[in-house]
């Protein structure tokens, strides 16, 4: 049996995913607070009936109105900065956010990444150990470990596979390139519609307290997927090397079991 329905959602980081998620929540009647780091985006959020907040933080300090964190659920949607100087600040930012949200929010959901799994040449799910082999994967895993420490019995983590969709046309990724390595390796991807759908299902079913691998169940080769993506959008077809070196297949046992989610977009 579900408890009292959730009404108030705060989304820290209304970027490509967070903004799409916030708009869907508003459409469904939720009261949504959304944050941005730029004043220019405040009007854009407001125009979509998202209550806008300017939130800025470093590894040492966070500037945000206190009521931003007062919600039934807080989604942390801030990926690590690609800049190597800021990359290592990510775990401290997560720690600061959790301190700011303490005693104010009922549930905290960390948007993470399947980069926490290394290329181990096998299928991996939420029950497997994580061995990241990239710098970004390592700091994302540190962020996960922090939320698990703060909420040992009620942490919620969504590990998104590679995201694509509006304004992220996968046909552009390798268009016109030649001798792209690892052409026979499987892809691990998820469309924005399904990323939003899974996050929404967690709220609707109040299925907090778990890790969810959010990845489409189909895993065609890189050559197959990206060739079709380029062809479908009229871009120059890339050339791939017929090889399968380092790879992984991400699957989920928790999404079908606890969310009963049906993917909308096939890969």
């Amino acid at each position: 049996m579900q408890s009292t329905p959730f009404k108030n959602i705060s989304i820290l980081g209304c970027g490509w995913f967070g903004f799409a998620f916030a708009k869907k929540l508003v459409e469904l009647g939720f009261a949504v607070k959304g944050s941005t780091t730029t004043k220019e985006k405040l009007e854009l959020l407001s125009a979509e009936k998202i209550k806008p907040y300017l939130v800025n933080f470093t590894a040492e300090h966070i500037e945000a109105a206190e009521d931003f964190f007062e919600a039934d659920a807080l989604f942390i949607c801030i990926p690590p900065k690609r800049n190597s100087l800021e990359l290592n600040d990510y775990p401290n930012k997560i720690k600061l956010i959790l301190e700011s949200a303490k005693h104010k929010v009922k549930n905290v959901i960390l948007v993470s990444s399947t980069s926490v799994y290394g290329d181990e040449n096998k299928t991996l799910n939420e029950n497997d150990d994580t061995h990241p082999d990239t710098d970004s994967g390592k700091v994302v895993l540190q962020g996960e470990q922090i939320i698990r420490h703060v909420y040992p019995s009620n942490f919620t983590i969504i590990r998104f596979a590679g995201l694509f969709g509006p304004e992220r046309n996968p046909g552009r990724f390798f268009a016109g390139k030649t001798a792209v390595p690892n052409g026979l390796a499987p892809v691990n991807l998820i469309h924005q519609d399904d990323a939003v759908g899974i996050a929404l299902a967690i709220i609707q079913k109040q299925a907090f307290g778990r890790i969810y691998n959010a990845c489409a169940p189909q895993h065609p080769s890189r050559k197959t997927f990206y060739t079709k993506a380029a062809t479908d959008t009229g871009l120059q077809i890339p050339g791939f090397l017929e090889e399968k070196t380092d790879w992984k297949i991400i699957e989920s046992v928790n999404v079908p079991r606890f969310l009963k989610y049906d993917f909308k977009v096939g890969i």
Side-chain angles (χ1 to χ4, degrees):
M1 178 180 290
Q2 293 189 347
S3 55
T4 305
F6 278 29
K7 294 180 180 178
N8 304 298
I9 310 295
S10 287
I11 300 177
L12 182 65
C14 284
W16 186 79
F17 164 75
F19 188 42
F21 181 40
K23 288 192 290 184
K24 185 64 176 179
L25 288 169
V26 169
E27 179 188 320
L28 294 174
F30 289 88
V32 182
K33 301 172 186 176
S35 84
T36 177
T37 58
T38 59
K39 290 182 179 179
E40 295 76 19
K41 199 169 181 179
L42 292 172
E43 287 186 17
L44 181 62
L45 295 177
S46 185
E48 296 291 345
K49 299 181 181 177
I50 301 162
K51 190 174 181 181
Y53 286 78
L54 192 65
V55 177
N56 283 290
F57 45 83
T58 65
E60 294 83 29
H61 180 64
I62 186 166
E63 292 180 9
E66 286 193 14
D67 68 313
F68 173 77
F69 294 102
E70 294 171 359
D72 293 315
L74 167 68
F75 282 78
I76 303 173
C77 308
I78 54 161
K81 297 284 188 182
R82 293 183 184 274
N83 183 319
S84 59
L85 294 175
E86 294 185 79
L87 185 69
N88 293 324
D89 289 343
Y90 178 78
N92 284 333
K93 288 179 179 179
I94 298 300
K95 192 177 295 183
L96 271 178
I97 292 163
L98 295 179
E99 288 174 0
S100 298
K102 201 169 184 181
H103 306 309
K104 294 176 184 174
V105 64
K106 295 176 183 176
N107 289 276
V108 178
I109 301 90
L110 177 66
V111 170
S112 182
S113 165
T114 55
S115 64
V116 298
Y117 300 104
D119 288 333
E120 299 185 39
N121 300 343
K122 64 181 183 180
T123 298
L124 298 158
N125 64 43
E126 296 95 336
N127 297 321
D128 290 306
D129 291 335
T130 49
H131 303 289
D133 50 19
T134 63
D135 289 339
S136 61
K138 290 172 184 175
V139 298
V140 168
L141 181 59
Q142 288 177 46
E144 285 192 6
Q145 290 167 339
I146 290 166
I147 194 171
R148 292 175 74 157
H149 175 73
V150 176
Y151 297 96
S153 61
N154 194 37
F155 60 85
T156 306
I157 296 168
I158 309 174
R159 292 172 177 162
F160 283 135
L163 287 154
F164 73 99
E167 299 175 16
R168 285 194 185 182
N169 174 10
R172 296 182 181 277
F173 291 179
F174 298 110
K177 294 186 178 180
T178 59
V180 179
N182 216 9
L184 302 182
V187 298
N188 298 285
L189 298 167
I190 185 169
H191 191 277
Q192 185 187 71
D193 289 350
D194 286 313
V196 168
I198 285 174
L200 180 61
I202 291 172
I203 294 175
Q204 291 175 326
K205 295 182 181 295
Q206 298 193 25
F208 302 102
R210 295 182 179 87
I211 295 173
Y212 296 96
N213 283 350
C215 182
Q218 304 89 7
H219 303 275
S221 71
R222 299 176 86 205
K223 176 183 177 181
T224 298
F225 177 80
Y226 289 107
T227 298
K228 183 178 185 301
T231 302
D232 288 348
T233 48
L235 297 169
Q236 190 174 352
I237 294 173
F240 287 87
L241 297 179
E242 299 277 336
E243 62 181 9
K244 185 179 181 181
T245 53
D246 298 329
W247 59 275
K248 64 191 171 211
I249 288 178
I250 301 298
E251 72 172 12
S252 177
V253 294
N254 288 343
V255 168
R257 180 179 177 187
F258 297 106
L259 302 182
K260 305 289 192 294
Y261 182 79
D262 293 321
F263 280 80
K264 302 177 181 68
V265 182
I267 303 300

